[in-house]
Amino acid sequence: MTRQHRGTMSHYAGVAAEDRVAQLYQFRGFQILQRRWRGQAGEIDLILQHRARVVFVEVKAARDLCMAAQRITRRQLLRIAAAAEEFLGCCPDGQLTEMQIDVALVSRTGKCEILENAYFA
């Protein structure tokens, strides 16, 4: 398997994982605001809204949930927080908008676990 082929497979696996997570949130009554939103600080996989709360979601896919969790770094969460602040700058209430950062773990078999308020400083 070539490097390019592996990259293409990883891309589609990531899109499928994001689709799975988006469906779970929609089932729970969340509205999708953006997918793969990119700001100057970086990309956020999913941005959702539930009532007045905006939820920023980082999706991590791997062979199993444990491996997916191991792929989350402090640096990534700091980048997501910076991008979230940038996104909130365009919201009517700005930085006063109720928000949270979640991490969604997805296994190769489609099992999903959502870690709510996963941001740590």
Side-chain angles (χ1 to χ4, degrees), residues 32-94:
I32 297 173
L33 298 179
Q34 296 283 327
R35 294 180 76 133
R36 295 193 173 203
W37 181 84
R38 180 167 290 285
Q40 291 181 353
E43 182 181 287
I44 298 175
D45 294 329
L46 295 169
I47 302 175
L48 309 129
Q49 186 167 8
H50 189 259
R51 298 188 179 112
R53 177 179 291 164
V54 176
V55 180
F56 302 93
V57 182
E58 175 69 11
V59 178
K60 287 294 181 189
R63 184 177 72 225
D64 58 47
L65 297 179
C66 184
M67 288 185 72
Q70 291 173 354
R71 292 184 175 176
I72 302 163
T73 66
R74 182 168 193 260
R75 184 175 175 187
Q76 276 182 317
L77 288 176
L78 290 171
R79 177 191 49 78
I80 293 164
E85 288 179 9
E86 185 179 345
F87 181 86
L88 292 177
C90 299
C91 293
D93 291 336

Side-chain angles (χ1 to χ4, degrees), residues 17 20-21 24 57-62 64-72 102-107 110-115:
R20 172 85 172 108
V21 171
L24 287 174
V57 182
E58 175 69 11
V59 178
K60 287 294 181 189
D64 58 47
L65 297 179
C66 184
M67 288 185 72
Q70 291 173 354
R71 292 184 175 176
I72 302 163
D102 293 355
V103 172
L105 308 174
V106 182
S107 73
K111 186 175 180 182
C112 184
E113 184 175 337
I114 296 172
L115 308 174

